[in-house]
């Protein structure tokens, strides 16, 4: 990798974010964090990120999902790969009746469960980054 | 009745003898409209019979004519008090139901999130220190991670019990073959059994009918029973699974030659969080498996029973109603049994 990749974490639990961040920083990523969907959206608009790590349950409900949908409507932001990090994999089936456990609301996304082991986290992150890069190369 | 319907009063005084309608009828209608409304019967001919009749229809009390203002005041007060109590009870019950419904969410947030954050920080700390840790420090990390992971797993199991919504299961009932249930259950236990050198034997007695049920949860129920049989078996033991049809029910039995269950434990094993002594290989569970299993079986209008002898083994039996149409050579079951399996 030529350049340091920039990641953004949006999760309303600052303690969890710090744990996640230290793993990613140790793996030489540049990491920013936002603790609510609004700040997160602003950050995405004002700066370029290579990957978004997104929590689903924030605030009063599935605000992460709402944010993901909003991103999907934006022609530029929808290009950013999203790694969903959730503590409620089992309940997702209840939230999205009729859909598979893994809700495909973004073109490329992955889902991991909280807490996430360092190796799994790093594997998923680099996999998503590579896929995004390959896609970009194709378009050009 | 119109006034009652529109104003929903706290207390209604009903004269048994009214032109056109019977007082009993009025009481019944009020009771149907809102059972918390207190009705008090006023009548000139206070016979024991009519009193009993009125009470049966849902009246709260009885006031014979003529009565003093004091008597009226007293009975009204008692009626109002009664209504308040009834309404309070209902509100309490509703609150309890709400709490139960939202319990999953509460537990998930209040317990899981902090634990998850702790674990994540531990992961982070270990990643940062990875090159500097000594072997014994690594062991300490392993121990902490293990215990937290166990705790998280326990919360998950716990959530699953609460989320097993019996009404929801019933909505998705469909005919399922017993042999499918058993082979799917065995498939998921086999690795554990192989590791423990426990042999799982299956025998069917044909013809075997269908049951009306939810395949996913029924398999889960069997998995619990069979995994217990393996878990509480000794190295090299045997587990026998049998299925047969008996008149209009299907009997699935799981017999092991393991450690058995003591007489004191036996009555409690189907309860929530009841775990007996650890298994032979010191395998310990949360004591939820059988509680979930019992709930699933009962949701299918079935029953579960157990016989066991310490040191010799245990036999669990699940009985499920067979789908009537699937039995071809059953005489004398009566025609109505065909019609009620829609
Ligand atoms: N086949 C068996 N042989 C001996 N003891 C058994 C058997 N099945 C159940 N028990 C006893 O009944 C208890 C309750 O069983 P249950 O499956 O509910 O819980 P568990 O196996 O301890 O935990 P888990 O929730 O992981 O299943 C067990 O702890 C064990 O003592
Ligand atoms: Mg068990």
């Amino acid at each position: 990798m030529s350049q340091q990749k920039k990641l953004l974490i949006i999760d309303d639990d600052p303690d969890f974010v710090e744990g996640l961040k230290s793993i990613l920083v140790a793996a030489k990523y540049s990491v920013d964090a936002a603790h609510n969907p609004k700040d997160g959206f602003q950050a995405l608009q004002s700066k370029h990120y290579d990957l978004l790590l997104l929590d689903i349950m924030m605030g009063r409900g599935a605000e992460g999902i709402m944010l993901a949908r909003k991103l999907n409507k934006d022609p530029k932001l929808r290009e950013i790969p999203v790694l969903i990090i959730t503590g409620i994999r089992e309940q997702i089936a209840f939230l999205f009746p009729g859909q598979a456990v893994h809700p495909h609301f973004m073109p490329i996304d992955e889902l991991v469960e909280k807490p996430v082991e360092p190796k799994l986290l790093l594997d998923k992150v680099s996999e998503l980054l590579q896929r995004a890069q390959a896609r970009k190369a194709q378009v050009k | 009745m119109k006034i009652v319907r529109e104003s929903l009063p706290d207390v209604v005084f009903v004269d048994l003898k009214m032109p056109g309608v019977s007082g009993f009828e009025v009481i019944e209608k009020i009771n149907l409209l809102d059972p918390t409304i207190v009705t008090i019967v006023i009548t000139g001919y206070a016979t024991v019979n009519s009193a009993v009749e009125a009470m049966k229809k849902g009246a709260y009390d009885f006031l014979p004519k003529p009565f003093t203002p004091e008597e009226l005041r007293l009975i009204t007060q008692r009626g109002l008090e009664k209504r308040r109590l009834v309404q309070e009870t209902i509100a309490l019950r509703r609150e309890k139901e709400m709490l139960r419904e939202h319990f999953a969410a509460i537990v998930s947030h209040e317990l899981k999130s902090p634990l998850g954050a702790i674990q994540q920080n531990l992961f982070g700390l270990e990643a940062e220190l990875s090159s500097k840790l000594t072997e014994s420090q690594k062991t300490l990390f392993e121990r902490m991670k293990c215990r937290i992971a166990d705790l998280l797993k326990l919360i998950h199991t716990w959530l699953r019990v609460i989320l097993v919504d019996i009404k929801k299961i019933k909505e998705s009932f469909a005919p399922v073959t017993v042999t499918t249930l058993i082979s799917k259950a065995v498939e998921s236990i086999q690795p554990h059994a192989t590791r423990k050198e426990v042999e799982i034997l299956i025998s069917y007695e044909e013809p075997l009918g269908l049951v009306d049920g939810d395949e996913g949860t029924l398999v889960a129920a069997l998995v619990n029973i069979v995994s217990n049989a393996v878990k509480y078996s000794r190295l090299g033991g045997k587990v026998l699974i049998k299925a047969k049809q008996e008149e209009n029910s299907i009997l699935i039995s799981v017999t092991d030659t393991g450690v058995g269950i003591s007489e004191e434990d036996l009555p409690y094993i189907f309860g929530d969080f009841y775990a007996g002594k650890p298994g032979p290989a010191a395998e310990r569970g949360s004591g939820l498996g059988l509680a979930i299993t019992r709930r699933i079986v009962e949701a299918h209008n079935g029953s579960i029973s157990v016989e066991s002898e310490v040191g010799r083994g245990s036999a669990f039996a699940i009985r499920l109603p067979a789908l009537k149409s699937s039995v071809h050579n059953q005489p004398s079951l009566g025609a109505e049994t065909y019609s009620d399996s829609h």
Side-chain angles (χ1 to χ4, degrees):
Chain A
M1 255 171 245
S2 50
Q3 201 192 344
Q4 196 182 30
K5 295 286 181 191
K6 293 188 188 64
L7 316 184
L8 177 69
I9 305 172
I10 307 180
D11 188 317
D12 65 347
D13 183 344
D15 291 340
F16 180 81
V17 168
E18 288 311 311
L20 206 60
K21 204 168 152 182
S22 90
I23 297 170
L24 294 165
V25 169
K28 305 280 182 287
Y29 289 107
S30 143
V31 186
D32 288 341
H35 296 139
N36 62 62
K38 217 174 126 208
D39 292 353
F41 190 68
Q42 249 164 27
L44 284 167
Q45 278 180 320
S46 59
K47 201 172 145 187
H48 167 80
Y49 287 102
D50 298 294
L51 179 97
L52 171 65
L53 297 108
L54 180 65
D55 180 26
I56 288 188
M57 295 306 276
M58 285 188 283
R60 262 173 287 125
E63 285 186 20
I65 298 284
M66 257 116 75
L67 181 69
R69 294 213 172 110
K70 203 160 129 191
L71 295 181
N72 207 13
K73 286 200 195 111
D74 187 304
K76 246 186 84 197
L77 295 180
R78 66 185 297 170
E79 298 302 320
I80 302 175
V82 180
L83 176 60
I84 301 284
I85 298 183
T86 174
I88 52 151
R89 206 177 67 167
E90 288 189 29
Q91 283 112 303
I92 285 180
F94 289 85
L95 289 172
F96 302 93
Q99 285 186 48
V101 172
H102 182 174
H104 280 278
F105 41 77
M106 300 290 279
I108 38 170
D109 68 339
E110 279 281 351
L111 184 144
V112 292
E113 211 168 350
K114 276 183 188 182
V116 44
E117 292 208 31
K119 189 176 166 341
L120 183 71
L121 175 70
L122 296 175
D123 281 356
K124 293 280 182 203
V125 166
S126 73
E127 193 186 311
L128 280 176
L129 286 172
Q130 263 164 28
R131 262 200 268 166
Q133 208 147 31
R135 233 163 40 106
K136 237 195 242 159
Q138 233 171 29
V139 173
K140 271 177 196 165
Chain B
M1 251 343 266
K2 190 157 167 269
I3 299 175
V4 170
R5 214 166 290 140
E6 274 162 14
S7 64
L8 291 176
D10 290 318
V11 177
V12 181
F13 295 93
V14 181
D15 194 334
L16 279 189
K17 232 173 139 187
M18 283 179 291
V21 280
S22 132
F24 297 128
E25 237 170 75
V26 174
I27 295 170
E28 245 178 349
K29 275 191 190 145
I30 292 174
N31 212 22
L32 227 61
L33 181 73
D34 178 355
T36 68
I37 295 178
V38 170
T39 51
I40 294 168
V41 170
I42 299 177
T43 181
Y45 56 96
T47 64
V48 175
N49 276 353
S50 56
V52 168
E53 177 81 357
M55 299 298 226
K56 258 196 224 153
K57 296 262 186 314
Y60 169 63
D61 210 344
F62 209 80
L63 190 60
K65 275 193 241 179
F67 47 82
T68 65
E70 180 62 14
E71 277 173 328
L72 177 65
R73 210 174 55 77
L74 213 83
I75 206 164
T76 307
Q77 223 169 42
R78 274 207 327 194
L80 284 170
E81 176 70 2
K82 154 89 176 164
R83 174 143 211 256
R84 199 179 57 76
L85 281 177
V86 169
Q87 281 175 330
E88 247 168 44
T89 315
I90 290 175
L92 272 177
R93 199 179 305 144
R94 198 170 295 148
E95 203 169 281
K96 214 172 129 193
E97 269 164 25
M98 292 260 293
L99 192 67
R100 198 188 140 81
E101 270 171 32
H102 295 294
F103 194 57
I106 296 169
V107 171
S108 116
H109 234 82
E110 303 304 312
L111 289 179
K112 263 177 67 182
S113 311
L115 264 179
I118 294 172
Q119 185 79 316
Q120 201 64 57
N121 279 270
L122 214 51
F123 286 156
L125 188 60
E126 198 186 17
E128 281 184 25
L129 294 174
S130 62
S131 55
K132 304 182 191 86
L133 289 176
T134 65
E135 279 311 307
S136 84
Q137 285 168 336
K138 277 186 194 155
T139 317
L140 293 175
F141 262 108
E142 267 329 296
R143 191 172 298 130
M144 288 193 278
K145 287 191 311 190
C146 244
R147 298 307 291 258
I148 296 175
D150 282 351
L151 218 50
L152 282 166
K153 221 188 293 165
L154 177 70
I155 295 170
H156 274 146
T157 322
W158 196 4
L159 282 173
R160 219 171 305 131
V161 187
I162 298 154
L163 290 176
V164 172
D165 189 335
I166 301 298
K167 279 187 226 119
K168 286 248 172 62
I169 306 182
K170 287 193 172 165
E171 281 165 18
S172 60
F173 273 14
V176 276
T177 36
V178 178
T179 49
T180 311
L181 296 176
I182 294 175
S183 50
K184 283 199 176 168
V186 170
E187 197 180 308
S188 80
I189 309 289
Q190 198 58 60
H192 184 197
T194 311
R195 238 179 298 132
K196 271 192 83 169
E197 291 171 30
V198 170
E199 194 182 355
I200 300 180
L201 303 158
I202 306 173
S203 104
Y204 301 124
E205 229 172 78
E206 304 280 359
L208 210 48
L210 302 167
V211 294
D212 192 26
D214 172 61
E215 186 179 297
T217 52
L218 280 178
V219 169
L222 278 174
V223 165
N224 283 334
I225 300 285
V226 180
S227 86
N228 278 349
V230 172
K231 189 156 129 184
Y232 301 106
S233 275
R234 297 183 199 83
L235 210 70
K238 273 191 175 49
V239 171
L240 176 62
I241 305 174
K242 279 200 281 194
K244 65 174 173 184
Q245 180 138 10
E246 272 179 5
E247 295 205 355
N248 39 16
S249 63
I250 288 186
L251 191 68
I252 304 170
S253 63
V254 179
T255 312
D256 65 63
T257 53
V259 294
I261 306 164
S262 72
E263 230 168 286
E264 306 97 77
D265 281 346
L266 216 45
Y268 305 107
I269 57 168
F270 292 109
D272 287 352
F273 299 110
Y274 191 86
K277 292 180 290 296
E283 293 187 84
R284 218 181 154 73
S286 53
L288 277 172
L290 287 178
I292 299 174
T293 303
R294 180 178 54 95
R295 258 177 235 168
I296 293 171
V297 170
E298 282 171 2
H300 286 82
N301 301 315
S303 61
I304 180 164
S305 59
V306 58
E307 277 172 35
S308 185
E309 201 179 320
V310 173
R312 309 214 44 178
S314 317
F316 284 82
I318 294 179
R319 194 179 281 278
L320 294 167
L323 258 184
K324 303 301 191 306
S325 48
S326 67
V327 187
H328 304 297
N329 48 0
Q330 276 291 316
S332 75
L333 269 179
E336 95 277 16
T337 52
Y338 281 86
S339 58
D340 65 16
S341 59
H342 31 261

